[in-house]
């Protein structure tokens, strides 16, 4: 449809609007049904129907209503819908955005993308072909996505001679299947999209049917509430700092997913736990506001300036907070070409969070076509649905999908592509995290030489350790680290300075984006362990180190110690640095204090000084 026609249809601001996804197995007639709905409700731009009919006549091609939706070139070339095309039409009650989801099994990812935005679903089943593999899979995915308003249209009744027994058999069998995934369709409707039977008007050919038409069924769906009554959830997408013309605002920007917040409300950022109050609600070219609510894209300034780490969800302090944790029990649908396996690093996208994630446990794998389960599977194959445990390196904020769906859904990225998605069932507190188990296995199978650590300590006159300098950019951490290395080396110590650039040019040369910082941290921990195992003192500097990164490095460096020297302001909240130096400008004094610390803690054996 043209922009002008779309704007015309959606210009009535007081009219209700609803997103409905149309899904079904390939060639079960989705595009034909939508095209016919557009034509029969007068929603097509003027002359559109006639131009498509004329095109078909010129090319000796029989006209089909599905051609009205063939806006994508590849779709026309292959004869199958490849994307979730949107179109608009209206009834006497409300305006609709129809999401035409692909039916081919190769495009399940696109189907999920469309269905995730829908408030209700119209699922088509071919009366002649009957229930197919994707009919069942789509039903399960609707259940997984939490879509409860469903109408099932048994299409192509003309090919089944409009027989009541054909319709009722499909109705009985598919109802039984949906009951297993806890779905109860509101309507089963026998239709012939091609001839318009039971779409907008009742069919004389199926007088035995006394239920609603498709259009009447859609009008009976209830509009979902906007989420104002739920607890406030605001995933922080970014923080903008203004400096020009005396403007010193720092605005946390994003979209209010649920709830409301007012100026003066106390708020808490999760998972960091930092608190402040809303000072102002910002909007581009908008008058001052006192309240923001669900569905609104906006920004907030705070009365007390706090550092806002990435991946935070803002909640109201007087309401139930979002949950936080590293282990998530989930239902996951896998679409990647390679199976999802344990031990491989993936990327989790959850609200505003982008975190590395690992598949920790597989409880069951379900075949969505027949709902059979396998509790012995070691990996999740393409198009499998699994109940499993995911673990992130650092805590994320989330809600159980049963409580707040907007912050209870996620997707999994593998090699820069969406490979899976799912819902969060609960948070799990494991006895031991993934890194600790990894270190335990590493220590168990580590091949040790006959030279013991004690022999190296006696030879080198030192005890191995990692000296980690942290703090903000620009405070001279690297220069301090290099000078410290020089002085210790001159004193006969076995010491090495590992610069960030050295690491990125070497073992980390395959890391290309800031999103892979946690992988850099992991490798730094492993490298530190190697140096320490060789009896060396390794010195390195890393900016903006937080508690979770420090814990990961300490875990990976086990059984060797890690000394933390904070230079200037730092971001460690739960961990206390071994040494905190506020004045990094006096480098000789800083170096001397670090050397005293090493001697006091017996890393530099005293008789060698």
């Amino acid at each position: 449809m043209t922009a002008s026609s779309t704007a015309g249809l959606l210009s009535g601001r007081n009219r209700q609007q609803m997103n409905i996804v149309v899904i079904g197995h390939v060639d079960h007639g989705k595009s034909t049904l939508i095209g016919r709905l557009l034509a029969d409700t007068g929603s097509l731009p003027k002359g559109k129907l006639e131009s498509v009919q004329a095109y078909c006549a010129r090319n000796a091609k029989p006209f089909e209503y599905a051609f009205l939706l063939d806006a994508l070139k590849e779709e026309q070339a292959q004869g199958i819908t490849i994307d979730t095309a949107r179109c608009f039409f209206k009834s006497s009650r409300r305006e609709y955005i129809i999401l035409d989801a692909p039916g081919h099994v190769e495009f399940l990812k696109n189907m999920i993308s469309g269905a995730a935005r829908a408030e209700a679903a119209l699922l088509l089943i071919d009366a002649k072909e009957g229930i197919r593999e994707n009919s069942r899979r789509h039903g399960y995915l609707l259940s997984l996505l939490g879509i409860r308003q469903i109408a099932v249209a048994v299409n192509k009744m003309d090919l089944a001679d409009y027989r009541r027994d054909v319709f009722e058999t499909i109705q009985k069998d598919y109802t039984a299947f949906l009951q297993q995934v806890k779905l109860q369709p509101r309507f089963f409707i026998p239709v012939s999209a091609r001839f318009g039977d039971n779409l907008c008007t009742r069919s004389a050919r199926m007088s035995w049917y006394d239920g609603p038409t498709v259009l009447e069924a859609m009008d009976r769906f209830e509009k979902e509430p906007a989420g104002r009554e739920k607890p406030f959830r605001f995933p922080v997408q970014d923080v903008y700092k203004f400096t020009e013309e005396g403007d010193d605002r720092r605005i946390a920007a994003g979209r209010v997913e649920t709830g409301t917040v007012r100026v003066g409300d106390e708020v808490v950022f999760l998972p960091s736990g930092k608190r402040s109050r809303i000072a102002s609600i910002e909007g581009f070219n908008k008058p001052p506001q006192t309240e923001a609510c669900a569905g609104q894209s906006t920004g907030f300034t705070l009365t007390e300036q706090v550092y806002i780490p990435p991946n935070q969800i803002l909640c109201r302090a007087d309401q139930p907070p979002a949950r936080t944790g590293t282990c998530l029990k989930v239902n996951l649908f896998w679409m990647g070409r390679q199976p999802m396996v344990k031990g491989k690093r993936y990327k989790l996208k959850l609200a505003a969070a982008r975190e590395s994630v690992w598949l920790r446990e597989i409880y069951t794998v379900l075949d969505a076509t027949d709902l059979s389960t396998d509790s012995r599977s070691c990996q999740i194959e393409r198009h499998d649905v699994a109940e499993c445990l995911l673990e992130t390196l650092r805590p994320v904020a989330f809600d159980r999908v049963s409580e707040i769906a907007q912050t209870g859904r996620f997707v999994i990225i593998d090699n820069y592509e969406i490979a899976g998605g799912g819902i969060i069932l609960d948070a799990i507190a494991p006895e031991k995290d993934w890194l600790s188990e990894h270190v335990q296995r590493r220590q168990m199978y580590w091949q040790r030489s006959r030279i013991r650590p004690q022999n190296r300590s006696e030879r080198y006159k030192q005890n191995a350790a990692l000296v980690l300098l942290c703090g903000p950019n620009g405070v001279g951490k690297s220069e301090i680290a290099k000078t410290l290395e020089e002085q210790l080396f001159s004193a006969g110590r076995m010491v090495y300075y590992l610069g960030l650039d050295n690491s990125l040019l070497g073992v980390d040369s395959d890391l290309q984006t800031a999103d892979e910082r946690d992988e850099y941290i992991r490798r730094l921990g492993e490298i530190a362990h190697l140096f320490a195992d060789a009896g060396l003192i390794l010195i390195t500097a890393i900016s903006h180190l937080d508690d979770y990164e420090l814990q990961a490095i300490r875990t990976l460096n086990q059984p060797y110690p890690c000394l933390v020297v904070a230079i200037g302001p730092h971001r460690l909240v739960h961990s206390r640095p071994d040494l905190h130096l506020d004045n990094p400008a006096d480098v000789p004094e800083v170096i001397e204090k670090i050397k005293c610390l090493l001697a006091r803690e017996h890393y530099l054996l005293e008789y060698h000084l």
Side-chain angles (χ1 to χ4, degrees):
M1 298 185 71
T2 64
S4 59
S5 62
T6 300
L9 280 172
L10 301 182
S11 60
R13 292 188 179 278
N14 294 326
R15 286 173 59 80
Q16 199 177 67
Q17 189 179 98
M18 174 178 279
N19 293 334
I20 291 184
V21 65
V22 180
I23 56 176
H25 193 72
V26 64
D27 290 335
H28 278 203
K30 298 178 301 300
S31 297
T32 299
L33 182 142
I34 296 171
R36 185 82 197 211
L37 271 177
L38 295 177
D40 289 359
T41 56
S43 301
L44 291 169
K46 186 177 180 180
K48 180 71 173 180
L49 177 62
E50 292 76 11
S51 67
V52 174
Q53 289 174 329
Y55 171 83
C56 292
R58 286 196 304 274
N59 292 277
K61 187 176 181 180
F63 169 76
E64 293 185 20
Y65 285 95
F67 295 160
L68 295 169
L69 298 182
D70 286 342
L72 299 173
K73 293 181 180 179
E74 191 173 351
E75 176 181 356
Q76 289 181 340
Q78 298 185 8
I80 52 177
T81 307
I82 62 166
D83 202 349
T84 309
R86 296 198 313 164
C87 58
F88 308 85
F89 80 100
K90 60 183 177 182
S91 70
S92 58
R93 181 182 180 189
R94 61 162 73 101
E95 294 159 352
Y96 290 98
I97 298 177
I98 298 294
L99 308 165
D100 178 20
H104 197 280
V105 67
E106 294 298 315
F107 303 124
L108 279 172
K109 186 189 304 181
N110 307 53
M111 174 263 156
I112 291 174
S113 173
R117 290 173 281 163
E119 299 166 78
L122 181 62
L123 194 151
L124 271 68
I125 297 175
D126 187 315
K128 186 176 182 180
E129 284 195 358
I131 301 167
R132 299 297 299 272
E133 174 184 320
N134 255 8
S135 308
R136 298 187 180 92
R137 186 177 280 123
H138 286 170
Y140 186 85
L141 291 175
L142 291 178
S143 171
L144 189 69
L145 293 169
I147 298 175
R148 293 290 178 259
Q149 299 191 93
I150 300 170
V152 180
V154 181
N155 191 25
K156 301 186 182 182
M157 287 297 293
D158 52 300
L159 299 181
D161 298 327
Y162 299 102
R163 287 165 48 193
R164 181 174 186 170
D165 63 315
V166 172
F167 169 74
E168 290 181 341
T169 297
I170 292 175
Q171 181 181 23
K172 177 184 176 184
D173 292 346
Y174 201 58
T175 297
F177 174 80
L178 292 181
Q179 283 177 344
Q180 297 179 67
V181 295
K182 300 178 181 178
L183 280 183
Q184 180 64 50
R186 292 189 61 182
F187 311 102
F188 270 89
I189 311 167
V191 304
S192 170
R194 183 180 182 187
F195 296 106
D197 293 293
N198 285 337
L199 286 187
C200 299
T201 58
R202 293 187 178 282
S203 170
R205 301 183 183 97
M206 291 179 280
S207 57
W208 44 265
Y209 174 73
D210 59 1
T213 65
V214 169
L215 189 60
E216 290 169 343
M218 292 168 67
D219 278 347
R220 293 184 189 180
F221 287 144
E222 299 299 326
K223 179 73 178 173
E224 287 191 355
R228 286 180 60 105
E229 307 306 319
K230 295 180 179 177
F232 176 67
R233 297 289 185 266
F234 180 80
V236 180
Q237 299 292 343
D238 210 341
V239 178
Y240 299 98
K241 185 176 182 180
F242 296 83
T243 56
E244 292 187 352
E245 300 178 356
D247 188 350
D248 61 351
R249 290 176 299 166
R250 292 178 72 246
I251 299 178
R255 181 179 186 274
V256 181
E257 293 294 343
T258 58
T260 61
V261 70
R262 296 180 63 84
V263 172
D265 282 344
E266 186 181 7
V267 290
V268 56
F269 292 89
L270 294 175
S272 69
K274 295 186 176 181
R275 289 174 177 257
S276 188
R277 289 185 181 275
I278 299 293
S280 68
I281 298 173
E282 305 286 335
F284 182 69
N285 279 341
K286 288 184 177 179
Q289 304 169 74
T290 58
E291 181 183 270
C293 62
Q296 185 175 344
S297 295
T298 187
F300 303 111
T301 63
L302 304 172
T303 56
E304 180 185 352
Q305 298 304 322
V306 295
Y307 167 69
I308 304 173
N311 306 340
Q312 302 291 299
I313 291 181
L314 186 61
C315 306
R316 270 173 48 183
D318 62 339
Q319 293 181 332
R323 299 169 188 272
T324 62
T326 57
C327 288
L328 311 176
K329 183 181 180 182
V330 305
N331 266 350
L332 180 145
F333 182 75
W334 189 247
M335 299 171 286
R337 295 189 181 279
Q338 301 298 323
M340 188 178 194
V341 295
K342 296 179 181 177
K344 182 178 178 181
R345 174 174 168 267
Y346 300 93
K347 184 68 71 178
L348 173 77
K349 294 181 68 175
L350 167 60
R354 307 287 185 273
E355 291 291 348
S356 293
V357 67
W358 288 265
L359 174 62
R360 179 76 182 273
E361 292 290 341
I362 301 174
Y363 300 127
T364 57
V365 173
L366 180 144
D367 185 337
T369 61
D370 60 10
L371 301 183
S372 61
T373 59
D374 180 0
S375 59
R376 298 169 299 175
S377 182
C378 297
Q379 60 187 24
I380 305 173
E381 302 286 349
R382 193 180 194 196
H383 298 158
D384 276 349
V385 177
E387 184 176 292
C388 54
L389 184 66
L390 303 179
E391 181 173 347
T392 56
L393 181 64
R394 65 177 74 209
V396 292
F398 62 92
D399 287 287
R400 291 191 296 202
V401 74
S402 58
E403 298 167 342
I404 301 179
Q406 290 87 339
T407 44
R409 295 171 177 165
F410 64 87
V411 298
I412 301 291
I413 308 294
D414 184 22
N415 291 328
Y416 305 103
E417 290 188 353
I418 294 177
I423 56 176
I424 299 173
L425 305 176
D426 211 343
I428 299 292
E431 294 181 359
K432 188 172 290 185
D433 60 38
W434 179 83
L435 274 183
S436 298
E437 287 189 350
H438 162 74
V439 170
Q440 187 177 33
R441 287 193 300 271
R442 186 188 69 189
Q443 292 301 102
M444 184 179 300
Y445 297 108
W446 193 264
Q447 293 191 22
R448 295 174 175 80
S449 71
R450 286 186 286 272
I451 301 174
R452 295 178 300 163
Q454 184 180 354
N455 300 137
R456 298 183 195 277
S457 294
E458 292 172 356
R459 168 71 64 86
Y460 300 152
K461 310 295 187 294
Q462 64 186 35
N463 285 318
L466 168 64
V467 180
L468 182 56
L469 277 63
C470 67
N473 289 325
V475 295
K477 298 186 298 297
S478 296
E479 184 57 32
I480 293 171
K482 290 176 185 177
T483 306
L484 176 64
E485 182 203 25
E486 290 171 355
Q487 294 191 14
L488 292 177
F489 181 78
S490 298
R493 307 296 184 179
M494 300 294 289
V495 60
Y496 185 78
Y497 164 69
L498 177 64
L500 176 64
D501 289 342
N502 301 3
S503 179
L504 291 175
L505 290 171
V507 295
D508 296 328
S509 60
D510 57 324
L511 304 183
Q512 299 174 352
T513 69
D515 286 347
E516 296 178 297
R517 177 181 167 99
D518 52 0
E519 177 60 12
Y520 167 75
I521 294 293
R522 188 192 69 80
R523 294 185 189 187
L524 176 62
E526 296 283 11
I527 293 171
H529 173 260
L530 284 172
F531 275 80
D533 204 48
L536 275 66
I537 294 175
L538 179 69
I539 306 170
T540 191
I542 183 167
S543 298
H544 308 306
L545 184 75
D546 66 25
D547 292 289
Y548 308 110
E549 292 172 341
L550 175 57
Q551 182 58 42
I553 292 173
R554 279 179 163 159
T555 300
L556 289 164
N557 193 43
Q558 289 178 7
Y560 302 104
C562 173
L563 272 72
V564 180
V565 179
I567 309 294
H570 60 83
R571 296 181 179 178
L572 300 176
V573 178
H574 306 296
S575 304
R576 185 175 179 180
D578 297 281
L579 183 62
H580 185 196
L581 301 167
D582 288 321
N583 181 21
D586 191 348
V587 175
E589 182 181 358
V590 168
I591 298 295
E592 200 57 37
K593 287 185 176 179
I594 297 175
K595 289 164 61 178
C596 288
L597 171 69
L598 289 170
R600 186 172 65 246
E601 299 296 330
H602 304 294
Y603 296 106
L604 305 180
L605 301 184
E606 291 183 4
Y607 59 81
H608 193 78
L609 289 174

